[in-house]
Amino acid sequence: MPALSLEQVRNLCMRRGFVFPGSAAYGGLGSFWDYGPLGVEMLNNIKQAWWHDAVYERDDMEGVDAAILMSRKVWQHSGHEATFSDPLVDCKACKSRFRADHVPLPPIGDPLREEVRRHAASNGAGGEPAVWPTRWDGEELVVSDETGDRRFSEDDQRRVGLVHKLIPCPKCNEFDWTEPRNFNLMFQSHVGPVAAAAGTDEEKAARVYMRPETAQGIFMNFAHVQRSMARKVPFGIAQIGKAFRNEITPGNFIFRTREFEQMEIEFFIKPEQYVQEGEKTDEQWHQEWIDRRFHWWLKLATPPSAGNQEMEEIEQRFRKRAQTADELAHYAKATTDIEYLFPGSLGWGEIEGVANRTDFDLTAHSKDIPEDDLKRLKLEDNKDSNEKFDYFDPDAKKRYVPWVIEPSAGVTRAMLTFLCEAYDEEFVKEPSKQDIDQIKSDAAMIKNNAEKKIKQAEKDIAAGKEAKHDPVQVREFLDKLEDVVTRLPESLSEVLLTLDHPGAQNLEPVKKFRPPTEKFMDEISRTVLRLHPRLAPIKLAVFPLKKNNAGLVELAQKIQRTFQKRFRTIYDDSAGIGKLYRRQDEIGTPYCITVDFESLEDGTVTVRERDTMSQERVPVDTLHDYLLPRLELG
Ligand code: GAP
């Protein structure tokens, strides 16, 4: 079972050193995160697995590592300076700021939802859509519901009183929005000391942007790599690196952040008009990359212990989704997004896009492009570039600007994906009927108390006084608790999660109930990250059965030091063996070794596997051959 909520993953990440809030001592900085000791290992493992698959295992790939800061002209000619923006709206009442196309509808059942329907009807937009609003396509607003897409031109939007005004502010419920305005997502800085005011020629001449994608660094190096490595088209270039976007609404933990990392490939191919019989077409290359990348995600999301049924279930949480004509960039022939079904309200989210970008990018950065091509790609003549990114194909005896297939994935988003998929809580002991009855009776006590608090809060609110509790939130919490209690014992792993609901805060019986429940859950269940061994931050943990026995400690440390040279291992003797196993399960360590008294006599140790918890006696001198293939490291 994957994570049931992003909260579970986020709590684990903070508790165990995967991810910390950035600049925490100063109250944090909006959606910037630091990756801790285990997080950095996992990110490195993801990048290594990707690089291996994208570069080492192919004959037609090279790598680069371009500078983060590039000439402003790169972003002018790529189109980012003019169009890399999102529509922004402000709530005039509470000053909250949102991406206009991300303002969520009030939840089903909320009376405000009715209000939205009325506003929509009275403004001529025609009832409540399933998803509202969907997105902007250029200046058009596209709204999707079960009947299909409805497009609102700028005039339509004006006519219906600007559609975004139909949705209340999710923070204060007012309908008082500013007009949407385009907000460029690139962070700016300057090269060298600049005192000139923003917008002046001097300021603009020194201006640089923190790259919002790594791709442009690859395009800039197309000719360098092709010539220096004597490459023939088709070939590709891979790059991993940081990217920055001043997102209007970052969030969902590390799903959407303002600083993140990307793993991108630009694979250069023959334009469709020059493809000869027997050669792969652009469509075939595109499909090949979609399939290869999809396979990579599935392979690394599946632990070796998974049986057929689990494999099927994992596969159902990944999908390929072809972008509709409305979503496609004007120059792209086709794009397929790879999506993962994240827990909770996040739902299906893009983790990688695989695009057929035709010859747009290399043409955009080239001088001396014929008028017809400029027209076809809606590009201006590039008078700044001193390069023409074309290529003489010795087989076709033709000179052309190559087309490009672009698989583009996020490293940090990949980490969230693999953590959500690997997260599991399972029982190691069957709870008794008595245990379940105890939880039910505690829940009844909480319910009694909470009902009183709701009544009191409603009275206070009616009398214009400040209420100690939010009655709506407490009611929501009670509904959740009731749902979990009626599904016991199957829902046992959700009990503690329910107590994290904001409506449960400051309820005295909840405070009393939590510590013994945590202790009980600790005894009967374990949290385990079923990470693929290649992604696990720590591959092996070694424990002595007793920390005060010199012989056990010495052998355990010797084993740990041997493997330390190959991969990340730890030695731990700070608790009993059971507890040490649990700690490693929680961070996804695939194998633990325990050195006991038998080890000193016969030279064997216990090797315990994380997912099945099976244990095997293995001679110390064969550990290397035992572990390496299982860790898929050699
Ligand atoms: N060069 C194409 C490009 O950048 P994109 O769809 O904007 O395409 C590619 O980004 C991938 O980068 C996404 O699928 C996602 O995994 C990751 N990504 C994009 N914006 C992100 C953000 N704000 N935070 C984390 N990851 C992000």
Side-chain angles (χ1 to χ4, degrees), residues 84 212-215 245 247 254-262 264 266 337-338 350-353 357 406 408-414:
F84 194 61
E213 61 168 20
T214 62
R245 294 181 191 180
E247 299 278 3
I254 53 170
F255 179 81
R256 180 169 287 107
T257 52
R258 292 185 168 125
E259 174 176 340
F260 56 100
E261 246 179 321
Q262 287 187 314
E264 297 200 291
E266 303 301 336
D337 288 339
I338 299 176
E350 179 202 322
I351 50 180
E352 174 160 1
R357 297 177 61 94
E406 178 191 70
S408 168
V411 183
T412 39
R413 200 172 280 185

Side-chain angles (χ1 to χ4, degrees), residues 255-317:
F255 179 81
R256 180 169 287 107
T257 52
R258 292 185 168 125
E259 174 176 340
F260 56 100
E261 246 179 321
Q262 287 187 314
M263 310 181 277
E264 297 200 291
I265 294 167
E266 303 301 336
F267 195 79
F268 302 102
I269 55 172
K270 248 184 195 181
E272 62 181 351
Q273 62 271 31
Y274 299 120
V275 174
Q276 281 157 22
E277 231 180 278
E279 290 180 336
K280 275 184 213 158
T281 62
D282 60 304
E283 283 161 11
Q284 284 169 324
W285 277 117
H286 189 209
Q287 193 56 47
E288 231 181 78
W289 275 108
I290 294 168
D291 295 342
R292 185 180 179 97
R293 295 299 310 137
F294 192 74
H295 175 75
W296 181 88
W297 284 99
L298 273 191
K299 181 171 165 263
L300 288 175
T302 311
S305 62
N308 283 348
Q309 198 193 329
E310 279 158 293
M311 275 153 102
E312 263 173 41
E313 284 170 10
I314 294 170
E315 213 167 325
Q316 278 165 16
R317 287 187 285 274

